[in-house]
Amino acid sequence: MNAKCARCSKTVYPVEKLSCLDKTWHKGCFNCEVCQLKLTMKTYKGYNKLPYCNTHYPTTKFTAVADTPENLRLRSQTKNQSQVEYQSQFKDSLKQFHAVPNEPEMQRARSAQQQASGAAYTADHKAAVAAATEPSHPGPSYPPSQPAAAAPVSQPPPKSMAPPMSAPAPSKPAVKRWRALYDYSAADEDEASFLEGDLCVNVEVIDEGWISGTIERTNDTGMMPRNYFEEV
């Protein structure tokens, strides 16, 4: 008896029979479920025993699982089962170890070991104390030597003391002065402002672009641009 086509439910004769996906199809009815593209045994992809083309083949998509009461219950149950399994494995591992019984022979051996260690420690301690307190052997004593009498030394006659000469007063170095060529307003706290014609004393050259000194008019001290001054 001829089978029915899975698409059109009509009888399929051997000449136009195509068996695929555990079903029988007409060659003309074997097409994609979405776009109705005609398929062959080399171009189809089966999903849920239905033919699809490569473009419309259903793909598996992962979705987020909501924390429903049922999912929470299953999670708690799984966690409890894992703890029970861990406890059972822990108890099985403890069975591999055996406790040493507290027998009289064991107590005697433990006491002898403690006494031996205590005696050795006491002997070492006594030896260290004896070595520390033992007096050192004194060497032979000799009588103290008497110092030889010193020969009298002739002293020269005293000379007349000349009055000390006063040292000449040091000469004061010449104060270097610089005259301002332009006005300048300080831009930072460590700079000094000045006007054209002001004199700067105690000048120290910092680098090619800056000097340090004190303006005589305002008695301000700070850094100033070097190209704003000329030496007097």
Side-chain angles (χ1 to χ4, degrees), residues 3-226:
K4 301 290 184 180
C5 178
R7 180 74 66 191
C8 63
S9 300
K10 294 182 180 180
T11 302
V12 180
Y13 295 98
V15 178
E16 54 183 358
K17 182 179 180 182
L18 191 150
S19 297
C20 184
L21 300 174
D22 297 335
K23 296 179 182 180
T24 303
W25 311 77
H26 288 110
K27 291 181 180 180
C29 295
F30 191 67
N31 48 29
C32 178
E33 289 288 325
V34 179
C35 63
Q36 304 302 320
L37 176 68
K38 188 175 181 180
L39 304 174
T40 62
M41 296 296 294
K42 294 182 178 180
T43 59
Y44 88 97
K45 286 189 175 182
Y47 182 81
N48 200 16
K49 293 187 178 182
L50 295 175
Y52 291 90
C53 64
N54 191 23
T55 304
H56 297 99
Y57 179 74
T59 57
T60 304
K61 296 181 180 180
F62 298 97
T63 56
V65 180
D67 289 335
T68 59
E70 181 64 18
N71 290 336
L72 294 175
R73 184 188 65 80
L74 293 176
R75 184 190 305 173
S76 177
Q77 184 177 359
T78 305
K79 184 177 180 181
N80 293 334
Q81 289 177 355
S82 63
Q83 290 180 355
V84 170
E85 183 178 359
Y86 171 76
Q87 291 291 338
S88 62
Q89 293 178 356
F90 178 72
K91 290 181 180 179
D92 293 339
S93 63
L94 289 179
K95 293 179 181 178
Q96 301 176 1
F97 302 95
H98 301 283
V100 179
N102 195 10
E103 298 177 351
E105 184 65 21
M106 295 298 299
Q107 293 180 359
R108 185 191 64 78
R110 186 187 306 167
S111 177
Q113 185 177 3
Q114 292 178 355
Q115 291 177 2
S117 61
Y121 172 75
T122 304
D124 294 342
H125 180 67
K126 289 182 178 179
V129 172
T133 57
E134 183 178 359
S136 59
H137 298 285
S141 59
Y142 297 97
S145 58
Q146 295 293 333
V153 179
S154 60
Q155 297 182 356
K159 296 181 179 180
S160 60
M161 301 295 292
M165 297 179 64
S166 60
S171 60
K172 295 184 180 180
V175 179
K176 186 182 296 186
R177 294 188 177 186
W178 293 42
R179 179 182 290 110
L181 300 176
Y182 314 100
D183 297 344
Y184 180 77
S185 298
D188 293 329
E189 295 180 357
D190 57 348
E191 297 181 3
S193 302
F194 53 86
L195 299 176
E196 180 182 356
D198 286 348
L199 293 178
C200 180
V201 296
N202 302 329
V203 179
E204 294 182 5
V205 179
I206 300 175
D207 53 23
E208 296 181 356
W210 292 88
I211 62 174
S212 176
T214 302
I215 303 298
E216 284 188 341
R217 182 177 58 85
T218 60
N219 202 23
D220 291 341
T221 302
M223 296 173 56
M224 291 161 284
R226 183 173 181 176

